[in-house]
Amino acid sequence: MIQSSELILNPDGSVYHLNLKPEHIAHDIIFVGDQNRVEKITQFFESIEFSIQKREFKTQTGIFKGKRITVMSTGIGPDNIDIVMNELDALVNIDLKTRQPKENLTSLNIIRIGTSGSLQADISVDSFVMSTFGLGLDNMLRSYLIDEVSNIEMENAFVKHTNWDLRKGKPYVISCSSALEKRIESDKMHKGITATAGGFYGPQGRVLRLNIQDEALNSKMDNFSFEGSKITNLEMETAAIYGLSTLLGHNALSLNAIIANRATGTFSEDPYKAVDELIAYTLNKIAFDLRIID
């Protein structure tokens, strides 16, 4: 039995941080970072059956074109992803009354919709990026046993290419769900490696008043390539989502609307339009194409 100190439940039986019970979530789940983006997605639903928010975690479940979908905000960073993924998995794969893992496990489909800046000149603003790999620079996933699910060859190549200081912990690489990749991809999607940092400033190479350990890291990442894959963008969630989803047996895919291009110094003239187009594209893919793997 899983002890109450390890799997914490609220007095109403919901999981501690998300305030959710098993019946509150759908099989198909959309992650967003910003809680205000939840309703930018659910505004297109025919109906909303459930809505709740605790801290930065806002969840709404409803129906879009006959398909039950949950939209959830995760907040910022890999530490929040650790909370969200473990509590979501507990909702479907642990009997919350007996505190025992279920004999028959359930796999969720999880798609992250985000915004990001491109690191490559040929990935223009207003385009979409699908993360075929998540490159974790944050070290969170190293708390788990990941050797069987990580791409050790790519990890070692990245460490060598960047002369990575291992005092920061060894980066990890996890691939996306191949099942979701096949269902969601289109000609408009660029593909590549999404780097996940553990912070917004120093960990992403930004300098305000503090010097950083490797001022050249971003330029090294820009020209890193492994078996034809380049680092397309830099953010704070994807690798953690891929790692925990793979370990727990769920399908995960991260999609980003590119609103800036660092290589060319350009910014989208209408970033909200780009995000709305990605939302519409993703919702339709979930409503129709994902039925095949339900």
Side-chain angles (χ1 to χ4, degrees):
M1 186 178 74
I2 301 172
Q3 299 298 313
S4 58
S5 60
E6 310 308 295
L7 175 58
I8 303 171
L9 302 179
N10 296 309
D12 66 353
S14 62
V15 290
Y16 182 63
H17 295 91
L18 302 184
N19 250 33
L20 296 173
K21 296 179 181 179
E23 62 267 25
H24 294 154
I25 63 169
H27 182 84
D28 300 304
I29 300 175
I30 295 174
F31 280 176
V32 294
D34 185 357
Q35 58 198 19
N36 294 322
R37 193 170 289 163
V38 171
E39 291 182 351
K40 282 183 67 66
I41 297 176
T42 60
Q43 67 177 318
F44 299 108
F45 286 14
E46 289 93 63
S47 62
I48 296 174
E49 67 182 59
F50 179 79
S51 181
I52 197 167
Q53 180 171 357
K54 183 177 180 180
R55 305 183 188 183
E56 62 267 57
F57 307 115
K58 182 172 184 175
T59 303
Q60 291 189 336
T61 296
I63 303 298
F64 176 78
K65 295 186 177 179
K67 180 74 168 176
R68 190 169 185 253
I69 300 172
T70 293
V71 184
M72 175 182 297
S73 63
T74 64
I76 299 173
D79 51 344
N80 274 15
I81 297 302
D82 185 56
I83 290 171
V84 171
M85 285 303 310
N86 277 287
E87 292 194 4
L88 272 180
D89 181 74
L91 289 172
V92 295
N93 288 321
I94 296 174
D95 186 318
L96 301 184
K97 293 182 179 179
T98 65
R99 295 182 171 272
Q100 297 279 359
K102 295 179 180 179
E103 184 175 343
N104 297 315
L105 300 181
T106 296
S107 293
L108 300 171
N109 296 321
I110 298 167
I111 299 178
R112 178 180 184 270
I113 297 179
T115 58
S116 188
S118 167
L119 302 184
Q120 306 296 332
D122 61 343
I123 301 179
S124 61
V125 296
D126 301 326
S127 61
F128 302 156
V129 163
M130 174 186 291
S131 308
T132 50
F133 294 95
L135 167 63
L137 311 177
D138 57 282
N139 213 38
M140 181 278 290
L141 203 67
R142 291 289 177 190
S143 294
Y144 300 94
L145 302 175
I146 67 170
D147 285 353
E148 291 187 1
V149 301
S150 63
N151 189 321
I152 296 175
E153 290 185 5
M154 190 185 298
E155 293 168 3
N156 291 337
F158 179 79
V159 168
K160 181 179 180 180
H161 177 81
T162 59
N163 193 27
W164 184 265
D165 188 341
L166 290 177
R167 290 177 298 178
K168 296 188 292 186
K170 186 180 180 183
Y172 59 90
V173 177
I174 312 289
S175 64
C176 69
S177 161
S178 59
L180 287 184
E181 178 185 0
K182 293 175 183 177
R183 301 290 182 247
I184 303 298
E185 66 181 349
S186 77
D187 293 339
K188 193 173 182 180
M189 289 281 178
H190 296 274
K191 293 184 177 183
I193 306 165
T194 293
T196 296
F200 184 77
Y201 289 96
Q204 293 192 35
R206 293 182 173 91
V207 177
L208 302 184
R209 290 201 316 113
L210 297 176
N211 293 328
I212 58 177
Q213 182 270 329
D214 186 354
E215 294 180 353
L217 179 59
N218 279 11
S219 62
K220 296 175 190 175
M221 291 199 299
D222 290 351
N223 56 44
F224 174 72
S225 178
F226 184 84
E227 295 182 349
S229 292
K230 294 183 177 181
I231 298 177
T232 52
N233 58 318
L234 177 62
E235 45 84 274
M236 295 179 63
E237 288 82 31
T238 294
I241 294 170
Y242 284 7
L244 289 171
S245 294
T246 303
L247 289 171
L248 291 166
H250 304 295
N251 300 303
L253 189 67
S254 180
L255 307 175
N256 274 277
I258 298 301
I259 61 173
N261 185 297
R262 193 178 73 185
T264 61
T266 54
F267 191 84
S268 173
E269 294 182 0
D270 191 351
Y272 298 106
K273 180 182 177 182
V275 174
D276 287 344
E277 288 181 353
L278 181 57
I279 289 171
Y281 175 83
T282 305
L283 281 174
N284 282 303
K285 282 290 185 177
I286 293 175
F288 299 108
D289 289 19
L290 256 64
R291 293 182 189 275
I292 302 172
I293 58 174
D294 278 358

